[in-house]
Amino acid sequence: MEKNIRLIKTGYGIVIQDVHKVTHHSVSNMDLPLLSLIFASILVVIRGQVSLSLSVRFVIYEEVPNDTLVGNIANESRIRTRANMTTEEFETLRYEFLDQSSMENLFTVKERTGNLLTSGRLDREKVCPFKELCLLEFDVLVHSSLNVIIVSVEIEVMDKNDHFPIFPSKVVTTSMIESFNNGSTLTLSEATDLDSTSINNIQSYEIIPNNGTFYLNASRKQNGGFDLKLVLRQSLDREIKDFYVFHIIAKDGGNPSNMGSVEVNINVLDSNDNYPVFNQEFYTSNVKEGSVVGTTVVQVTATDKDIGENGQISYRFSSRQTDPNVDQLFSINSTSGVLSVKGNLVYEPNKSYKIYVDAMDQGEQPQVTQTTILVTVLDAGNNKPNVRVNFLAQTNAEIINNISVVYVLESSPQNSVIAHVTVDDTDSGQNGLIGCNLSDNSFSIKQLTSGKGYILSIKTQLNREQIPSHNITVTCFDHGTPQLSSSVFFKVIVTDTNDNAPTFLKHTYFASIEEGNVIGFIVDQVSAEDIDIGRNAKIMYYLDKDSGGKFAINSNTGVITANTVFDRESALRHLFTVLAVDSGNPPMTGTATVILTVKDKNDNAPEFDVPSFQFFITENLPGDVSVGTLNAKDLDEGDNKKISFSISPEYESTMPFVIYSDGLVKTARELDREVHNKYKFNIVATDHWYTCTQ
């Protein structure tokens, strides 16, 4: 019959007690660096006869606190009734795990009461990955001097919704050509959820916003996952909008539901869907008879909203001209659109040349637009009008390199007058009647009802960031035959107002830092730009209050430094907002998000899961028989948590057991219970830096 043996832990000493004697093994006080050395012992007992076998079943939710009562083995198995015990016999029963297993990391059996308690983190996804039903099974030895009973325990672990859906990446960037038809699709990767039961796994997806250019088609697959397709709902137009951003949300079926998201960025690629557009529907120009070859007659200008080769424009004469002499008298520069004199021009009364010019882009299937130039050859004896432009005082005009330059604030309202135009013509009759036009459609010229010249005003809202300057030609012409004209050129510089907020170069900055850092360690550097100029573009950087005082930022450089010492085991990630504020009046602000990941450092020692290990083995078995497995944990991650086991050096030559690095314990030779019925020795758990002895 087996002896009744107990292990009692007292301070740094371990007492082994049986019915015949008590032996004290004391461990001297040692310098324990970081309190990382923990002592335990292994007790090997030779089994006796089993008189009765029973079974019980319990149900418990995962993630409950340590020492949560699972149930009472004695009550649930009705051991007293089934074994026909007296009260005195029942009270002498003792309860312990029959076999050393991983269950001892999760549960504790109270020796005297038979209460089964949780002793470690009960993670259903770890002990029963991807199983709808999670059953943990083990045996408990119930024994006294008269009874040896084995109770088979079955514990059903119920799932909790303790995991969030996670997409393969936080941001997905892709592209679509603007010519794609409605209903075109892009395939997205689905999210994953580590919860085991189907109800706590992903149940649905949605797109935010859900009323935009795209919608989400999420269909179930046979394996329970989803096919995610992004479907084009509305036609794309790159010239109106060339970039889309939205979020895909994955929701599980828990109560409350957990959610995960991914940001989707779509760049719209150009197709050649726009024609070149001339800045004037009709061009008129006058040129003196006898002008030398190369004299500029007029310049035509066209623009194309497409980009790349689709937006590059060349000019040519149309193949169909009403006047067969156009090619001999004029030429057009294919790049600049300048029409110049090629042949000898002769004045003819009531004679004008109507010239058709094509603007063609360079796309694979070129788009072509046509305009008309009406050129009148003037008699060299006519007088031109004399044109003068007088800028208003508030426009702050000056002369630079013999060119008049006027400065106009981009926030100036429409119809604001910037100049007065005076035209003098000494001719009389039709030769003295004057009309004027402008070369830039952003401005207009109107004749005063008093007949005292013209006013030049702003026609459309100015935008310095799009067009910082305008080259304006005022052309005034008489109504004589031939018609004569004069032009005045000046330049409008659009001055800045603070109408743009700073923009960070990234929406989100990802940074990392090793735990245990020094204060002042550089975490990252953010940078923003402002398309305004001057003080309106001078940027200062600040941290939002969500940084919690854990960081500091250089307001001039955007360098972010640590203001505290980080501990990965306390918090793996930190998210906060940075602000970029310009110096305009009033100032404008842009924001970005910083996500800091704390990297692991080997600053935690291994810890055994239990204060002592106890194994049972039958006598007279050959050597190399498995006795059990040791278990320990380390709060670090990666290689820092890899643990190796070994027998304490002072026991290596005396113990008939072998300890493998993975914690497996085997016999080194055949054991004889009558010679030695139990063995006790110390073991060591070591990670890459710290050591734990037990």
Side-chain angles (χ1 to χ4, degrees), residues 54-86:
L54 302 174
S55 63
V56 293
R57 180 185 175 98
F58 302 103
V59 178
I60 190 171
Y61 274 91
E62 67 172 339
E63 305 292 352
V64 295
N66 286 358
D67 296 324
T68 297
L69 178 64
V70 180
N72 184 273
I73 294 174
N75 294 339
E76 288 295 323
S77 65
R78 296 183 296 159
I79 196 168
R80 177 180 176 185
T81 303
R82 294 185 179 183
N84 195 22
M85 297 181 186
T86 65

PDB file of all heavy atoms in Angstrom, residues 54-86:
ATOM      1  N   LEU A  54     -15.037   6.583 -11.385  1.00  0.00           N
ATOM      2  CA  LEU A  54     -16.231   7.415 -11.527  1.00  0.00           C
ATOM      3  C   LEU A  54     -15.951   8.502 -12.564  1.00  0.00           C
ATOM      4  O   LEU A  54     -14.816   8.692 -12.980  1.00  0.00           O
ATOM      5  CB  LEU A  54     -16.585   8.068 -10.183  1.00  0.00           C
ATOM      6  CG  LEU A  54     -16.841   7.111  -9.013  1.00  0.00           C
ATOM      7  CD1 LEU A  54     -17.021   7.894  -7.729  1.00  0.00           C
ATOM      8  CD2 LEU A  54     -18.075   6.244  -9.288  1.00  0.00           C
ATOM      9  N   SER A  55     -17.001   9.242 -12.958  1.00  0.00           N
ATOM     10  CA  SER A  55     -16.821  10.333 -13.913  1.00  0.00           C
ATOM     11  C   SER A  55     -17.731  11.498 -13.539  1.00  0.00           C
ATOM     12  O   SER A  55     -18.805  11.299 -12.968  1.00  0.00           O
ATOM     13  CB  SER A  55     -17.125   9.871 -15.346  1.00  0.00           C
ATOM     14  OG  SER A  55     -18.473   9.491 -15.469  1.00  0.00           O
ATOM     15  N   VAL A  56     -17.266  12.729 -13.828  1.00  0.00           N
ATOM     16  CA  VAL A  56     -18.050  13.941 -13.589  1.00  0.00           C
ATOM     17  C   VAL A  56     -17.870  14.868 -14.787  1.00  0.00           C
ATOM     18  O   VAL A  56     -16.898  14.754 -15.538  1.00  0.00           O
ATOM     19  CB  VAL A  56     -17.622  14.671 -12.302  1.00  0.00           C
ATOM     20  CG1 VAL A  56     -17.944  13.850 -11.079  1.00  0.00           C
ATOM     21  CG2 VAL A  56     -16.137  15.018 -12.347  1.00  0.00           C
ATOM     22  N   ARG A  57     -18.792  15.784 -14.945  1.00  0.00           N
ATOM     23  CA  ARG A  57     -18.724  16.770 -16.042  1.00  0.00           C
ATOM     24  C   ARG A  57     -19.068  18.148 -15.486  1.00  0.00           C
ATOM     25  O   ARG A  57     -20.050  18.304 -14.763  1.00  0.00           O
ATOM     26  CB  ARG A  57     -19.684  16.390 -17.163  1.00  0.00           C
ATOM     27  CG  ARG A  57     -19.664  17.365 -18.349  1.00  0.00           C
ATOM     28  CD  ARG A  57     -20.729  16.991 -19.358  1.00  0.00           C
ATOM     29  NE  ARG A  57     -20.817  17.952 -20.440  1.00  0.00           N
ATOM     30  CZ  ARG A  57     -20.252  17.829 -21.627  1.00  0.00           C
ATOM     31  NH1 ARG A  57     -19.534  16.751 -21.878  1.00  0.00           N
ATOM     32  NH2 ARG A  57     -20.398  18.752 -22.558  1.00  0.00           N
ATOM     33  N   PHE A  58     -18.250  19.148 -15.852  1.00  0.00           N
ATOM     34  CA  PHE A  58     -18.489  20.527 -15.451  1.00  0.00           C
ATOM     35  C   PHE A  58     -18.516  21.427 -16.691  1.00  0.00           C
ATOM     36  O   PHE A  58     -17.965  21.086 -17.738  1.00  0.00           O
ATOM     37  CB  PHE A  58     -17.377  21.032 -14.518  1.00  0.00           C
ATOM     38  CG  PHE A  58     -17.219  20.203 -13.264  1.00  0.00           C
ATOM     39  CD1 PHE A  58     -16.180  19.288 -13.149  1.00  0.00           C
ATOM     40  CD2 PHE A  58     -18.111  20.350 -12.219  1.00  0.00           C
ATOM     41  CE1 PHE A  58     -16.039  18.549 -12.003  1.00  0.00           C
ATOM     42  CE2 PHE A  58     -17.971  19.613 -11.071  1.00  0.00           C
ATOM     43  CZ  PHE A  58     -16.939  18.686 -10.950  1.00  0.00           C
ATOM     44  N   VAL A  59     -19.111  22.598 -16.545  1.00  0.00           N
ATOM     45  CA  VAL A  59     -19.164  23.607 -17.603  1.00  0.00           C
ATOM     46  C   VAL A  59     -18.662  24.930 -17.020  1.00  0.00           C
ATOM     47  O   VAL A  59     -19.094  25.331 -15.936  1.00  0.00           O
ATOM     48  CB  VAL A  59     -20.586  23.785 -18.175  1.00  0.00           C
ATOM     49  CG1 VAL A  59     -20.588  24.893 -19.237  1.00  0.00           C
ATOM     50  CG2 VAL A  59     -21.092  22.481 -18.762  1.00  0.00           C
ATOM     51  N   ILE A  60     -17.755  25.601 -17.762  1.00  0.00           N
ATOM     52  CA  ILE A  60     -17.219  26.872 -17.294  1.00  0.00           C
ATOM     53  C   ILE A  60     -16.858  27.737 -18.491  1.00  0.00           C
ATOM     54  O   ILE A  60     -16.505  27.215 -19.561  1.00  0.00           O
ATOM     55  CB  ILE A  60     -15.966  26.651 -16.397  1.00  0.00           C
ATOM     56  CG1 ILE A  60     -15.571  27.972 -15.732  1.00  0.00           C
ATOM     57  CG2 ILE A  60     -14.820  26.060 -17.183  1.00  0.00           C
ATOM     58  CD1 ILE A  60     -14.499  27.785 -14.673  1.00  0.00           C
ATOM     59  N   TYR A  61     -16.983  29.060 -18.351  1.00  0.00           N
ATOM     60  CA  TYR A  61     -16.594  29.977 -19.418  1.00  0.00           C
ATOM     61  C   TYR A  61     -15.093  30.243 -19.359  1.00  0.00           C
ATOM     62  O   TYR A  61     -14.490  30.243 -18.278  1.00  0.00           O
ATOM     63  CB  TYR A  61     -17.337  31.308 -19.304  1.00  0.00           C
ATOM     64  CG  TYR A  61     -18.683  31.293 -19.984  1.00  0.00           C
ATOM     65  CD1 TYR A  61     -19.835  30.937 -19.281  1.00  0.00           C
ATOM     66  CD2 TYR A  61     -18.796  31.600 -21.338  1.00  0.00           C
ATOM     67  CE1 TYR A  61     -21.074  30.914 -19.913  1.00  0.00           C
ATOM     68  CE2 TYR A  61     -20.020  31.582 -21.971  1.00  0.00           C
ATOM     69  CZ  TYR A  61     -21.165  31.240 -21.268  1.00  0.00           C
ATOM     70  OH  TYR A  61     -22.376  31.222 -21.899  1.00  0.00           O
ATOM     71  N   GLU A  62     -14.500  30.462 -20.520  1.00  0.00           N
ATOM     72  CA  GLU A  62     -13.084  30.825 -20.587  1.00  0.00           C
ATOM     73  C   GLU A  62     -12.846  32.195 -19.946  1.00  0.00           C
ATOM     74  O   GLU A  62     -13.767  32.978 -19.728  1.00  0.00           O
ATOM     75  CB  GLU A  62     -12.603  30.842 -22.040  1.00  0.00           C
ATOM     76  CG  GLU A  62     -13.219  31.920 -22.888  1.00  0.00           C
ATOM     77  CD  GLU A  62     -12.578  32.041 -24.263  1.00  0.00           C
ATOM     78  OE1 GLU A  62     -11.444  31.592 -24.425  1.00  0.00           O
ATOM     79  OE2 GLU A  62     -13.223  32.593 -25.155  1.00  0.00           O
ATOM     80  N   GLU A  63     -11.570  32.489 -19.651  1.00  0.00           N
ATOM     81  CA  GLU A  63     -11.112  33.796 -19.175  1.00  0.00           C
ATOM     82  C   GLU A  63     -11.665  34.176 -17.804  1.00  0.00           C
ATOM     83  O   GLU A  63     -11.690  35.354 -17.452  1.00  0.00           O
ATOM     84  CB  GLU A  63     -11.443  34.906 -20.187  1.00  0.00           C
ATOM     85  CG  GLU A  63     -10.933  34.696 -21.586  1.00  0.00           C
ATOM     86  CD  GLU A  63      -9.418  34.764 -21.684  1.00  0.00           C
ATOM     87  OE1 GLU A  63      -8.782  35.126 -20.686  1.00  0.00           O
ATOM     88  OE2 GLU A  63      -8.891  34.422 -22.733  1.00  0.00           O
ATOM     89  N   VAL A  64     -12.157  33.180 -17.031  1.00  0.00           N
ATOM     90  CA  VAL A  64     -12.611  33.518 -15.681  1.00  0.00           C
ATOM     91  C   VAL A  64     -11.381  33.769 -14.803  1.00  0.00           C
ATOM     92  O   VAL A  64     -10.275  33.323 -15.109  1.00  0.00           O
ATOM     93  CB  VAL A  64     -13.473  32.372 -15.091  1.00  0.00           C
ATOM     94  CG1 VAL A  64     -14.748  32.195 -15.881  1.00  0.00           C
ATOM     95  CG2 VAL A  64     -12.688  31.064 -15.035  1.00  0.00           C
ATOM     96  N   PRO A  65     -11.515  34.487 -13.673  1.00  0.00           N
ATOM     97  CA  PRO A  65     -10.352  34.762 -12.820  1.00  0.00           C
ATOM     98  C   PRO A  65      -9.780  33.486 -12.206  1.00  0.00           C
ATOM     99  O   PRO A  65     -10.460  32.451 -12.094  1.00  0.00           O
ATOM    100  CB  PRO A  65     -10.934  35.691 -11.743  1.00  0.00           C
ATOM    101  CG  PRO A  65     -12.194  36.227 -12.309  1.00  0.00           C
ATOM    102  CD  PRO A  65     -12.734  35.171 -13.212  1.00  0.00           C
ATOM    103  N   ASN A  66      -8.517  33.570 -11.797  1.00  0.00           N
ATOM    104  CA  ASN A  66      -7.903  32.466 -11.063  1.00  0.00           C
ATOM    105  C   ASN A  66      -8.710  32.173  -9.793  1.00  0.00           C
ATOM    106  O   ASN A  66      -9.317  33.073  -9.194  1.00  0.00           O
ATOM    107  CB  ASN A  66      -6.463  32.804 -10.696  1.00  0.00           C
ATOM    108  CG  ASN A  66      -5.556  32.736 -11.907  1.00  0.00           C
ATOM    109  OD1 ASN A  66      -5.989  32.406 -13.005  1.00  0.00           O
ATOM    110  ND2 ASN A  66      -4.296  33.054 -11.710  1.00  0.00           N
ATOM    111  N   ASP A  67      -8.668  30.902  -9.377  1.00  0.00           N
ATOM    112  CA  ASP A  67      -9.360  30.424  -8.173  1.00  0.00           C
ATOM    113  C   ASP A  67     -10.879  30.485  -8.303  1.00  0.00           C
ATOM    114  O   ASP A  67     -11.591  30.493  -7.298  1.00  0.00           O
ATOM    115  CB  ASP A  67      -8.913  31.226  -6.932  1.00  0.00           C
ATOM    116  CG  ASP A  67      -7.440  31.033  -6.623  1.00  0.00           C
ATOM    117  OD1 ASP A  67      -6.936  29.921  -6.816  1.00  0.00           O
ATOM    118  OD2 ASP A  67      -6.810  32.008  -6.179  1.00  0.00           O
ATOM    119  N   THR A  68     -11.376  30.504  -9.540  1.00  0.00           N
ATOM    120  CA  THR A  68     -12.825  30.373  -9.747  1.00  0.00           C
ATOM    121  C   THR A  68     -13.211  28.903  -9.549  1.00  0.00           C
ATOM    122  O   THR A  68     -12.565  27.992 -10.072  1.00  0.00           O
ATOM    123  CB  THR A  68     -13.223  30.830 -11.156  1.00  0.00           C
ATOM    124  OG1 THR A  68     -12.917  32.216 -11.284  1.00  0.00           O
ATOM    125  CG2 THR A  68     -14.713  30.619 -11.401  1.00  0.00           C
ATOM    126  N   LEU A  69     -14.263  28.675  -8.782  1.00  0.00           N
ATOM    127  CA  LEU A  69     -14.704  27.310  -8.505  1.00  0.00           C
ATOM    128  C   LEU A  69     -15.352  26.712  -9.745  1.00  0.00           C
ATOM    129  O   LEU A  69     -16.329  27.253 -10.279  1.00  0.00           O
ATOM    130  CB  LEU A  69     -15.706  27.303  -7.337  1.00  0.00           C
ATOM    131  CG  LEU A  69     -16.284  25.922  -6.974  1.00  0.00           C
ATOM    132  CD1 LEU A  69     -15.183  24.982  -6.479  1.00  0.00           C
ATOM    133  CD2 LEU A  69     -17.381  26.067  -5.910  1.00  0.00           C
ATOM    134  N   VAL A  70     -14.804  25.587 -10.212  1.00  0.00           N
ATOM    135  CA  VAL A  70     -15.398  24.857 -11.326  1.00  0.00           C
ATOM    136  C   VAL A  70     -16.492  23.916 -10.805  1.00  0.00           C
ATOM    137  O   VAL A  70     -17.578  23.815 -11.377  1.00  0.00           O
ATOM    138  CB  VAL A  70     -14.323  24.067 -12.088  1.00  0.00           C
ATOM    139  CG1 VAL A  70     -14.930  23.312 -13.255  1.00  0.00           C
ATOM    140  CG2 VAL A  70     -13.219  25.013 -12.571  1.00  0.00           C
ATOM    141  N   GLY A  71     -16.215  23.253  -9.692  1.00  0.00           N
ATOM    142  CA  GLY A  71     -17.178  22.332  -9.093  1.00  0.00           C
ATOM    143  C   GLY A  71     -16.500  21.482  -8.033  1.00  0.00           C
ATOM    144  O   GLY A  71     -15.281  21.531  -7.846  1.00  0.00           O
ATOM    145  N   ASN A  72     -17.276  20.708  -7.325  1.00  0.00           N
ATOM    146  CA  ASN A  72     -16.737  19.821  -6.293  1.00  0.00           C
ATOM    147  C   ASN A  72     -16.807  18.388  -6.788  1.00  0.00           C
ATOM    148  O   ASN A  72     -17.881  17.878  -7.129  1.00  0.00           O
ATOM    149  CB  ASN A  72     -17.538  19.978  -4.989  1.00  0.00           C
ATOM    150  CG  ASN A  72     -16.948  19.140  -3.869  1.00  0.00           C
ATOM    151  OD1 ASN A  72     -17.284  17.963  -3.733  1.00  0.00           O
ATOM    152  ND2 ASN A  72     -16.059  19.729  -3.087  1.00  0.00           N
ATOM    153  N   ILE A  73     -15.636  17.745  -6.856  1.00  0.00           N
ATOM    154  CA  ILE A  73     -15.546  16.385  -7.418  1.00  0.00           C
ATOM    155  C   ILE A  73     -16.296  15.397  -6.535  1.00  0.00           C
ATOM    156  O   ILE A  73     -17.006  14.501  -7.025  1.00  0.00           O
ATOM    157  CB  ILE A  73     -14.075  15.990  -7.574  1.00  0.00           C
ATOM    158  CG1 ILE A  73     -13.417  16.885  -8.632  1.00  0.00           C
ATOM    159  CG2 ILE A  73     -13.930  14.524  -7.943  1.00  0.00           C
ATOM    160  CD1 ILE A  73     -11.936  16.688  -8.778  1.00  0.00           C
ATOM    161  N   ALA A  74     -16.172  15.561  -5.225  1.00  0.00           N
ATOM    162  CA  ALA A  74     -16.840  14.608  -4.326  1.00  0.00           C
ATOM    163  C   ALA A  74     -18.347  14.680  -4.478  1.00  0.00           C
ATOM    164  O   ALA A  74     -19.027  13.643  -4.590  1.00  0.00           O
ATOM    165  CB  ALA A  74     -16.427  14.896  -2.883  1.00  0.00           C
ATOM    166  N   ASN A  75     -18.896  15.898  -4.504  1.00  0.00           N
ATOM    167  CA  ASN A  75     -20.351  16.043  -4.592  1.00  0.00           C
ATOM    168  C   ASN A  75     -20.873  15.581  -5.937  1.00  0.00           C
ATOM    169  O   ASN A  75     -21.880  14.865  -6.023  1.00  0.00           O
ATOM    170  CB  ASN A  75     -20.746  17.493  -4.342  1.00  0.00           C
ATOM    171  CG  ASN A  75     -20.437  17.932  -2.914  1.00  0.00           C
ATOM    172  OD1 ASN A  75     -20.295  17.092  -2.014  1.00  0.00           O
ATOM    173  ND2 ASN A  75     -20.326  19.241  -2.707  1.00  0.00           N
ATOM    174  N   GLU A  76     -20.196  16.033  -7.038  1.00  0.00           N
ATOM    175  CA  GLU A  76     -20.701  15.725  -8.369  1.00  0.00           C
ATOM    176  C   GLU A  76     -20.598  14.226  -8.681  1.00  0.00           C
ATOM    177  O   GLU A  76     -21.438  13.674  -9.387  1.00  0.00           O
ATOM    178  CB  GLU A  76     -19.933  16.533  -9.420  1.00  0.00           C
ATOM    179  CG  GLU A  76     -20.254  18.026  -9.428  1.00  0.00           C
ATOM    180  CD  GLU A  76     -21.679  18.307  -9.819  1.00  0.00           C
ATOM    181  OE1 GLU A  76     -22.201  17.592 -10.702  1.00  0.00           O
ATOM    182  OE2 GLU A  76     -22.292  19.198  -9.212  1.00  0.00           O
ATOM    183  N   SER A  77     -19.576  13.548  -8.166  1.00  0.00           N
ATOM    184  CA  SER A  77     -19.416  12.119  -8.466  1.00  0.00           C
ATOM    185  C   SER A  77     -20.181  11.220  -7.478  1.00  0.00           C
ATOM    186  O   SER A  77     -20.277  10.014  -7.688  1.00  0.00           O
ATOM    187  CB  SER A  77     -17.931  11.762  -8.421  1.00  0.00           C
ATOM    188  OG  SER A  77     -17.430  11.934  -7.104  1.00  0.00           O
ATOM    189  N   ARG A  78     -20.739  11.851  -6.402  1.00  0.00           N
ATOM    190  CA  ARG A  78     -21.449  11.080  -5.352  1.00  0.00           C
ATOM    191  C   ARG A  78     -20.566   9.916  -4.868  1.00  0.00           C
ATOM    192  O   ARG A  78     -20.992   8.768  -4.719  1.00  0.00           O
ATOM    193  CB  ARG A  78     -22.768  10.556  -5.877  1.00  0.00           C
ATOM    194  CG  ARG A  78     -23.754  11.678  -6.231  1.00  0.00           C
ATOM    195  CD  ARG A  78     -25.087  11.133  -6.685  1.00  0.00           C
ATOM    196  NE  ARG A  78     -24.954  10.386  -7.909  1.00  0.00           N
ATOM    197  CZ  ARG A  78     -25.819   9.476  -8.341  1.00  0.00           C
ATOM    198  NH1 ARG A  78     -26.874   9.172  -7.604  1.00  0.00           N
ATOM    199  NH2 ARG A  78     -25.624   8.840  -9.471  1.00  0.00           N
ATOM    200  N   ILE A  79     -19.340  10.279  -4.587  1.00  0.00           N
ATOM    201  CA  ILE A  79     -18.343   9.260  -4.273  1.00  0.00           C
ATOM    202  C   ILE A  79     -18.653   8.533  -2.959  1.00  0.00           C
ATOM    203  O   ILE A  79     -18.416   7.342  -2.802  1.00  0.00           O
ATOM    204  CB  ILE A  79     -16.941   9.906  -4.249  1.00  0.00           C
ATOM    205  CG1 ILE A  79     -15.853   8.842  -4.331  1.00  0.00           C
ATOM    206  CG2 ILE A  79     -16.748  10.784  -3.013  1.00  0.00           C
ATOM    207  CD1 ILE A  79     -14.489   9.446  -4.605  1.00  0.00           C
ATOM    208  N   ARG A  80     -19.204   9.283  -2.015  1.00  0.00           N
ATOM    209  CA  ARG A  80     -19.491   8.661  -0.720  1.00  0.00           C
ATOM    210  C   ARG A  80     -20.563   7.584  -0.852  1.00  0.00           C
ATOM    211  O   ARG A  80     -20.442   6.479  -0.304  1.00  0.00           O
ATOM    212  CB  ARG A  80     -19.939   9.743   0.273  1.00  0.00           C
ATOM    213  CG  ARG A  80     -20.331   9.193   1.634  1.00  0.00           C
ATOM    214  CD  ARG A  80     -20.765  10.302   2.567  1.00  0.00           C
ATOM    215  NE  ARG A  80     -21.223   9.779   3.849  1.00  0.00           N
ATOM    216  CZ  ARG A  80     -21.739  10.520   4.811  1.00  0.00           C
ATOM    217  NH1 ARG A  80     -21.846  11.831   4.654  1.00  0.00           N
ATOM    218  NH2 ARG A  80     -22.136   9.968   5.940  1.00  0.00           N
ATOM    219  N   THR A  81     -21.614   7.915  -1.626  1.00  0.00           N
ATOM    220  CA  THR A  81     -22.718   6.956  -1.799  1.00  0.00           C
ATOM    221  C   THR A  81     -22.272   5.763  -2.616  1.00  0.00           C
ATOM    222  O   THR A  81     -22.539   4.599  -2.255  1.00  0.00           O
ATOM    223  CB  THR A  81     -23.904   7.649  -2.473  1.00  0.00           C
ATOM    224  OG1 THR A  81     -24.292   8.765  -1.688  1.00  0.00           O
ATOM    225  CG2 THR A  81     -25.071   6.706  -2.627  1.00  0.00           C
ATOM    226  N   ARG A  82     -21.568   6.040  -3.730  1.00  0.00           N
ATOM    227  CA  ARG A  82     -21.197   4.946  -4.628  1.00  0.00           C
ATOM    228  C   ARG A  82     -20.159   4.008  -4.017  1.00  0.00           C
ATOM    229  O   ARG A  82     -20.121   2.831  -4.345  1.00  0.00           O
ATOM    230  CB  ARG A  82     -20.677   5.525  -5.937  1.00  0.00           C
ATOM    231  CG  ARG A  82     -21.754   6.265  -6.731  1.00  0.00           C
ATOM    232  CD  ARG A  82     -21.239   6.718  -8.055  1.00  0.00           C
ATOM    233  NE  ARG A  82     -22.260   7.394  -8.837  1.00  0.00           N
ATOM    234  CZ  ARG A  82     -22.099   7.855 -10.071  1.00  0.00           C
ATOM    235  NH1 ARG A  82     -20.927   7.687 -10.661  1.00  0.00           N
ATOM    236  NH2 ARG A  82     -23.078   8.473 -10.698  1.00  0.00           N
ATOM    237  N   ALA A  83     -19.292   4.569  -3.176  1.00  0.00           N
ATOM    238  CA  ALA A  83     -18.281   3.714  -2.546  1.00  0.00           C
ATOM    239  C   ALA A  83     -18.750   3.172  -1.194  1.00  0.00           C
ATOM    240  O   ALA A  83     -18.006   2.469  -0.512  1.00  0.00           O
ATOM    241  CB  ALA A  83     -16.985   4.487  -2.371  1.00  0.00           C
ATOM    242  N   ASN A  84     -19.987   3.533  -0.811  1.00  0.00           N
ATOM    243  CA  ASN A  84     -20.569   3.027   0.441  1.00  0.00           C
ATOM    244  C   ASN A  84     -19.632   3.322   1.625  1.00  0.00           C
ATOM    245  O   ASN A  84     -19.278   2.431   2.389  1.00  0.00           O
ATOM    246  CB  ASN A  84     -20.854   1.524   0.313  1.00  0.00           C
ATOM    247  CG  ASN A  84     -21.798   1.041   1.432  1.00  0.00           C
ATOM    248  OD1 ASN A  84     -22.543   1.852   2.016  1.00  0.00           O
ATOM    249  ND2 ASN A  84     -21.756  -0.244   1.740  1.00  0.00           N
ATOM    250  N   MET A  85     -19.280   4.629   1.767  1.00  0.00           N
ATOM    251  CA  MET A  85     -18.336   5.022   2.813  1.00  0.00           C
ATOM    252  C   MET A  85     -19.075   5.547   4.031  1.00  0.00           C
ATOM    253  O   MET A  85     -20.159   6.128   3.928  1.00  0.00           O
ATOM    254  CB  MET A  85     -17.397   6.125   2.308  1.00  0.00           C
ATOM    255  CG  MET A  85     -16.509   5.738   1.184  1.00  0.00           C
ATOM    256  SD  MET A  85     -15.451   7.152   0.746  1.00  0.00           S
ATOM    257  CE  MET A  85     -14.654   6.486  -0.695  1.00  0.00           C
ATOM    258  N   THR A  86     -18.422   5.378   5.158  1.00  0.00           N
ATOM    259  CA  THR A  86     -18.908   6.025   6.384  1.00  0.00           C
ATOM    260  C   THR A  86     -18.454   7.467   6.371  1.00  0.00           C
ATOM    261  O   THR A  86     -17.589   7.868   5.562  1.00  0.00           O
ATOM    262  CB  THR A  86     -18.355   5.326   7.633  1.00  0.00           C
ATOM    263  OG1 THR A  86     -16.924   5.515   7.637  1.00  0.00           O
ATOM    264  CG2 THR A  86     -18.684   3.837   7.644  1.00  0.00           C
TER     265      THR A  86
END
